[in-house]
C-alpha cells in the first residue's frame, strides 16, 4: 500500500500537499470499503450476546417518559430531574419510541431494547468507516485497502465494540467525532480550513458532540486548533475569524440547551455530574492514558508513535497534513478521558472515539513510512508490525473473553434480580405501592411499579447534592426522616452503600426488617410500618428468598450475556410480580 500520488491532475494547493484530487471513489468501492468492517463490527457484537448495560436503561426510562408525555422524569409521577448526560442520544431514543422502533416489543424475537441500540451501533460504525474512506481516497491509490484496514482494526477492538453496543451514547459520539476529524483532514488537504462553510460544518459537529456527552464540548476546540496545527494559510485576521466562526457556531446549541436546563432544572450541570463530583483539575489523572496504551498494546503504540514522528519530522506529504489534522481530535479525546472522573466500568467506556481515530492514524502513518518493496527495511517493518498485531490480538481476545464471561452489570440482570424480585416481595407483603432505595437505576426504573430512589444520586438532585458536599450524615437524615423508602436493596461491600453509612445507622434496624440476603452481600429491607399486616413478614421473607433464588439460578443458567426479560420491559401490576419473576419475564 503506497501513498505516493500522481499530482498531474491535482489542484495547485492539493499538489503542494501531495494529495489526490477530490473524488469520492466508485459506489462499489465505497460499499466494499465500508461494508467489510461493518460486517466485522456486527460479528464482534454477537460475541457479547444481548448484553445492554444497566446505565443505558436510565436514558431509556427518561425517553419513555418524554415520549409518552410524562415529561423529563425517571418514572411517571416522579420529580423532574436531569438524570441523563446524553441529551442527543435521549432525543434519538425518544424519536425511536415515537416510531415504534424501541420499547415496544421485539424484532424477529429479539427485544427492541437490545436490537435498536445494536442496530444504531452498526449504522454509526458504517458512518465512521465512510468517513475513513473520505480520507483514504485523498491520500492513497488503494483507498479500499486503507479503509478496510483501519476499519478492521476498529472492529477488532473490544473497548470500541463493547461500548458502542452497550445501549449508551458511545456510537453517536464516536461517529460525530470521526466525521469531524475527516472534515478537518479533507479541508486541510484542500487548503480550505478557513472557509466559512468548513468552519460552520465543524462547529455544528462539535456542538452535536457537546450535546451527546458533557465532555464532548471539548471538540469545540477542534477546528481552532486544527487551524494552528495543520498550518492553515491566511492572514491572522482571517485565521481568527475562521476559528471564531467554528467555535461560536458550536457553542450556540450547547448554550441553548444550557438555558433550557437552567430554566427546567435550576442547575447549570446535569445531576449525573453533581453526583459523580465531576471537576476539571480535581479529577485530572495524567496517568490514565497508560490504561489505553495497555488496551491497545504497547508494541503497537510504539510502532504507531514512531511512524507518526517520522511523518511529521520529515514532512512526508500528504500524510503529514493528515496526521497533524487527526492528532487534534485524538488529542482532545485523550484530554477528555484524562479529565473525567475515574469510571468503575471495564474497558474504558469514556474513550470510545479514541479507537477509530487511532486506527486511521495508524494505517495512514505506517503506510507513509513503509520502505520500498523487496527491501530489508520493509521486511523488518512488516515483521515488527506482524508481531505488534499478534500481541494486540492476544490481548484483545483475552479482553473479549473476560468481558463476555463477566460483563458490566446488565439491564436485564437488574430488571430480574432487583425490580421483579422486590416487586414480588411487595406482593407477598400486600404492599401495592411505595418506593425502592437502590443503586442500579436502569432496570428498576423501567420494570418496577415502585418509585425508585437513587442512592447514587444520578437521577436525584437532592441526594446528588449530599454526595457532592460529602455530607453523609445529612444524606442519612434525608433518607430515614424524609424519604422513608418502603424498600431498600443494598449490597455490602459496594462503595456507595458502604460510603453512605446506611448499614451502621441504628435507624436501619429500628425501622426496617431484613427480608432477603445472599452470599454476595445483597440485602433487601422493608419498612415495618409500610406492611399492612406485620404477621406476613415471615411469609414474605421466605417468599422473597425463594423468588430470588429462582431468579439467580435462571440467570446463571442463561449466562450473563443472555436476555431473559421477555420481549418488553414493563412495570408489574400488584399480584403479578412473583409470576413474572418465576417465568423470566
Amino acid at each position: 500500500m503506497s501513498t505516493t500520488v500522481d499530482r498531474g491532475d491535482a489542484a495547485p494547493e492539493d499538489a503542494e500537499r501531495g494529495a489526490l484530487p477530490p473524488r469520492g471513489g466508485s459506489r462499489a468501492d465505497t460499499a466494499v470499503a465500508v461494508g467489510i468492517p461493518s460486517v466485522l463490527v456486527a460479528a464482534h457484537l454477537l460475541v457479547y450476546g444481548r448484553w445492554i448495560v444497566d446505565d443505558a436503561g436510565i436514558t431509556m426510562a427518561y425517553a419513555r417518559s418524554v415520549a409518552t408525555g410524562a415529561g423529563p422524569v425517571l418514572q411517571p409521577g416522579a420529580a423532574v430531574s436531569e438524570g441523563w448526560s446524553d441529551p442527543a442520544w435521549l432525543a434519538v431514543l425518544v424519536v425511536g419510541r415515537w416510531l415504534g422502533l424501541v420499547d415496544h416489543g421485539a424484532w424477529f424475537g429479539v427485544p427492541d431494547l437490545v436490537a435498536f441500540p445494536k442496530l444504531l451501533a452498526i449504522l454509526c460504525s458504517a458512518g465512521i468507516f465512510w468517513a475513513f474512506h473520505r480520507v483514504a481516497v485523498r491520500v492513497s491509490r488503494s483507498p479500499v485497502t486503507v479503509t478496510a484496514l483501519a476499519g478492521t482494526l476498529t472492529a477488532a477492538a473490544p473497548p470500541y465494540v463493547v461500548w458502542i453496543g452497550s445501549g449508551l451514547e458511545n456510537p453517536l459520539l464516536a461517529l460525530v467525532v470521526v466525521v469531524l476529524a475527516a472534515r478537518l483532514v479533507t479541508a486541510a488537504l484542500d487548503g480550505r480550513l478557513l472557509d466559512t462553510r468548513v468552519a460552520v460544518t465543524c462547529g455544528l459537529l462539535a456542538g452535536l458532540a457537546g450535546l451527546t456527552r458533557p465532555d464532548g464540548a471539548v471538540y469545540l476546540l477542534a477546528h481552532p486548533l486544527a487551524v494552528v496545527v495543520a498550518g492553515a494559510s491566511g492572514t491572522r485576521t482571517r485565521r481568527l475569524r475562521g476559528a471564531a466562526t467554528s467555535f461560536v457556531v458550536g457553542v450556540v446549541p450547547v448554550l441553548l440547551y444550557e438555558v433550557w436546563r437552567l430554566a427546567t432544572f435550576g442547575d447549570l450541570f446535569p445531576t449525573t455530574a453533581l453526583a459523580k463530583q465531576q471537576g476539571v483539575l480535581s479529577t485530572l489523572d495524567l496517568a490514565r492514558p497508560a490504561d489505553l496504551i495497555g488496551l491497545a498494546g504497547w508494541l503497537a503504540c510504539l510502532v504507531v508513535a514512531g511512524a507518526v514522528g517520522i511523518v511529521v519530522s520529515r514532512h512526508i506529504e500528504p500524510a503529514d497534513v493528515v496526521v497533524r489534522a487527526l492528532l487534534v481530535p485524538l488529542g482532545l479525546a485523550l484530554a477528555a478521558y484524562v479529565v473525567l472522573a475515574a469510571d468503575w466500568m471495564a474497558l474504558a467506556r469514556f474513550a470510545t472515539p479514541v479507537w477509530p481515530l487511532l486506527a486511521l492514524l495508524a494505517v495512514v502513518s505506517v503506510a507513509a513510512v513503509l520502505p520500498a518493496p523487496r527491501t530489508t527495511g520493509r521486511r523488518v517493518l512488516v515483521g515488527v508490525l506482524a508481531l505488534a498485531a499478534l500481541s494486540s490480538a492476544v490481548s484483545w481476545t483475552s479482553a473479549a473473553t473476560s468481558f463476555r464471561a463477566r460483563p458490566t452489570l446488565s439491564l436485564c440482570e437488574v430488571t430480574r434480580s432487583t425490580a421483579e424480585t422486590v416487586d414480588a416481595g411487595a406482593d407477598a407483603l400486600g404492599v401495592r405501592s411505595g418506593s425502592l432505595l437502590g443503586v442500579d437505576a436502569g432496570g428498576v426504573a423501567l420494570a418496577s411499579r415502585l418509585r425508585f430512589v437513587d442512592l447514587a444520586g444520578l437521577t436525584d438532585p437532592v441526594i446528588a447534592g449530599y454526595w457532592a458536599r460529602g455530607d453523609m450524615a445529612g444524606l442519612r437524615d434525608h433518607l430515614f426522616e424524609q424519604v422513608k423508602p418502603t424498600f431498600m436493596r443494598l449490597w455490602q461491600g459496594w462503595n456507595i452503600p458502604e460510603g453512605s453509612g446506611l448499614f451502621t445507622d441504628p435507624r436501619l434496624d429500628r425501622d426496617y426488617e431484613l427480608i432477603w440476603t445472599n452470599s454476595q452481600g445483597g440485602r433487601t429491607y422493608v419498612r415495618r410500618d409500610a406492611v399492612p399486616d406485620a404477621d406476613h413478614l415471615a411469609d414474605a421473607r421466605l417468599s422473597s428468598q425463594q423468588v430470588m433464588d429462582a431468579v439467580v439460578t435462571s440467570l446463571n443458567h442463561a449466562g450473563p450475556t443472555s436476555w431473559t426479560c421477555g420481549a418488553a420491559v414493563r412495570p408489574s401490576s400488584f399480584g403479578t410480580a412473583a409470576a413474572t419473576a418465576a417465568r423470566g419475564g
Side-chain angles (χ1 to χ4, degrees), residues 161-368:
V161 175
V162 161
W163 290 112
I164 64 164
S166 66
L168 293 169
E169 70 284 346
N170 299 57
L172 179 59
L173 180 62
L175 171 63
V176 172
V177 173
V178 173
V179 171
L180 170 60
R183 191 68 191 99
L184 291 174
V185 168
T186 56
L189 288 171
D190 294 341
R192 296 179 54 224
L193 269 175
L194 301 181
D195 284 10
T196 300
R197 181 177 296 181
V198 172
V200 169
T201 300
C202 291
L204 290 174
L205 288 168
L208 180 55
L211 292 175
T212 303
R213 277 197 54 80
D215 51 288
V218 72
Y219 298 101
L220 292 169
L221 300 175
H223 181 268
L225 288 176
V227 169
V228 176
V229 174
S233 58
T235 64
R236 181 180 179 183
T237 300
R238 185 165 179 246
R239 294 171 71 183
L240 287 174
R241 184 169 61 247
T245 298
S246 173
F247 186 81
V248 170
V249 167
V251 161
V252 167
V254 175
L255 286 181
L256 288 175
Y257 182 80
E258 192 67 37
V259 170
W260 178 80
R261 169 188 286 149
L262 191 59
T264 305
F265 307 109
D267 207 323
L268 290 173
F269 303 100
T271 306
T272 52
L274 186 63
K276 294 178 180 180
Q277 305 166 61
Q278 175 63 54
V280 178
L281 296 181
S282 62
T283 54
L284 181 68
D285 184 357
L286 295 177
R288 201 169 293 149
D291 299 338
L292 304 184
I293 295 174
L295 285 172
W298 283 91
L299 182 56
C301 289
L302 286 173
V303 171
V304 173
V308 168
I310 293 172
V311 168
V312 173
S313 62
R314 296 183 181 179
H315 301 290
I316 301 174
E317 301 291 358
D320 181 34
V321 176
V322 177
V323 166
R324 288 175 185 272
L326 284 176
L327 284 174
V328 171
L330 178 58
L332 292 172
L334 290 172
Y337 186 68
V338 164
V339 169
L340 284 172
D343 184 55
W344 64 274
M345 299 187 191
L347 297 178
R349 68 165 170 146
F350 292 144
T352 305
V354 168
W355 307 109
L357 291 173
L358 186 59
L360 183 58
L361 178 70
V363 172
V364 170
S365 58
V366 170

Side-chain angles (χ1 to χ4, degrees), residues 406-426:
R406 298 192 65 177
T408 302
L409 189 65
S410 75
L411 172 62
C412 186
E413 181 178 351
V414 172
T415 298
R416 298 288 319 283
S417 65
T418 299
E420 292 178 0
T421 54
V422 175
D423 280 17

